[in-house]
Amino acid sequence: MRIVLTQSEGRLMGLQERLETMGLEVLRHPLIQTQTLPADLRPLSDCRWWLFSSVAAVRAVLELGADLRGRCLGAVGRATQQALEEAGGRVDLVAPEETAESLAEAFLAQRPFGFVGLPQGNRARPVLARRLREAGYSVRSVVVYQTLPVPWPPELPVPELVLLASPSGVEGLPERVGRGARLLALGPTTAAALAERGFSYTLVPRPSVEAVVETIQHLRGETCPI
C-alpha cells in the first residue's frame, strides 16, 4: 500500500518511519510551501512571550533578523521546539499537540504574565489570538510568511492513501487524486475543506503520529475504531 504525505516540513515528526515499519510505501510531497514576507517585527519587540505555531514562523523571524535570546518562547510540537532551540532560543512552553488550540491551552494553564507576540502565516486561524485575548492578554500578531500551493506532480500515480494536513494542501489536490485515493483529513478544518470540494475522507481525530497510525490500522482492519 502506498501513502503520500503532504504535510509541511516539521509536522508529524517520525510518522514516515512508523508507516514504513508497518509495510507501507511512503512518498513525501508537501502541497504547500512558505515564503517569508518583508514584515516589520517592531510591534513584537516589547512582548515578553513569543508563541510559534509552525517551523515556518521560526524560519521567517530569523530571516527577518530577530534575536530569540532572552525571550520566553512557546512552541507547537517537537519540530518547532527544535527549530527555536537550534536558533539559540530557550523554549519555556511546548504544546502537546500540533494545534493552535493546544498551544493556547498550554499557555493559559500556566497563566504567565506579559504581552504576547504571535509571528504567523497569512492563513493562520484566529483561534490562538482570540483565546488569549478572551483571557485578558494583550496580543500582537504579525504576518511573517505566506503559504503558497504546490501542484501535485503529474507523473505521480494515484496512491491508495493521501494524508492532508491543512486546507491549503487540499487546494493543491487534483480531482483525479481526490476521487481515486482514500483521503485522510488531519483535523476538522482540513475535513471541512475536503467536504467543500466534494471529496470523501476519513477524519484523523488528533494531529499526532499515533492518531494517524491508529486510523490507518483501522482502515486496514487491524484494530478497533478509535
Side-chain angles (χ1 to χ4, degrees):
M1 179 179 288
R2 176 182 294 169
I3 181 171
V4 175
L5 305 181
T6 68
Q7 73 271 20
S8 59
E9 177 187 354
R11 293 200 68 183
L12 301 174
M13 288 180 64
L15 175 61
Q16 179 171 343
E17 293 76 9
R18 286 289 303 277
L19 296 179
E20 288 174 342
T21 63
M22 295 166 58
L24 275 70
E25 179 185 355
V26 182
L27 301 178
R28 286 281 292 122
H29 181 73
L31 289 177
I32 62 171
Q33 62 182 353
T34 60
Q35 182 181 70
T36 299
L37 296 173
D40 182 358
L41 297 181
R42 284 177 295 181
L44 307 181
S45 60
D46 59 351
C47 292
R48 181 171 182 261
W49 280 87
W50 284 15
L51 302 184
F52 291 85
S53 55
S54 68
V55 173
V58 178
R59 184 184 301 116
V61 298
L62 294 176
E63 291 178 358
L64 291 169
D67 186 354
L68 300 177
R69 292 172 298 180
R71 298 193 181 278
C72 298
L73 304 175
V76 162
R78 290 185 295 131
T80 306
Q81 176 187 9
Q82 180 178 326
L84 288 168
E85 291 174 343
E86 289 176 352
R90 186 195 69 201
V91 180
D92 301 273
L93 175 71
V94 181
E97 294 187 350
E98 295 184 18
T99 64
E101 291 87 348
S102 181
L103 183 55
E105 291 170 6
F107 184 84
L108 294 175
Q110 292 192 10
R111 298 299 303 181
F113 70 90
F115 292 175
V116 181
L118 303 181
Q120 297 181 317
N122 64 319
R123 302 190 64 166
R125 293 186 298 135
V127 58
L128 178 57
R130 184 177 65 244
R131 287 283 304 277
L132 298 183
R133 289 187 177 113
E134 289 173 351
Y137 283 92
S138 176
V139 179
R140 298 176 183 173
S141 302
V142 173
V143 175
V144 295
Y145 71 90
Q146 63 179 340
T147 301
L148 303 171
V150 176
W152 185 275
E155 72 280 2
L156 185 63
V158 177
E160 287 81 8
L161 296 172
V162 179
L163 177 66
L164 284 308
S166 69
S168 302
V170 173
E171 293 177 8
L173 194 68
E175 191 78 11
R176 65 181 180 89
V177 179
R179 302 294 178 194
R182 189 72 176 262
L183 307 180
L184 306 180
L186 195 70
T189 58
T190 303
L194 287 169
E196 186 174 342
R197 291 195 60 184
F199 294 150
S200 299
Y201 62 87
T202 297
L203 177 66
V204 180
R206 302 180 307 280
S208 68
V209 170
E210 287 300 327
V212 175
V213 168
E214 290 171 5
T215 300
I216 293 174
Q217 287 175 330
H218 171 53
L219 292 176
R220 298 169 73 183
E222 299 174 6
T223 65
C224 295
I226 297 174

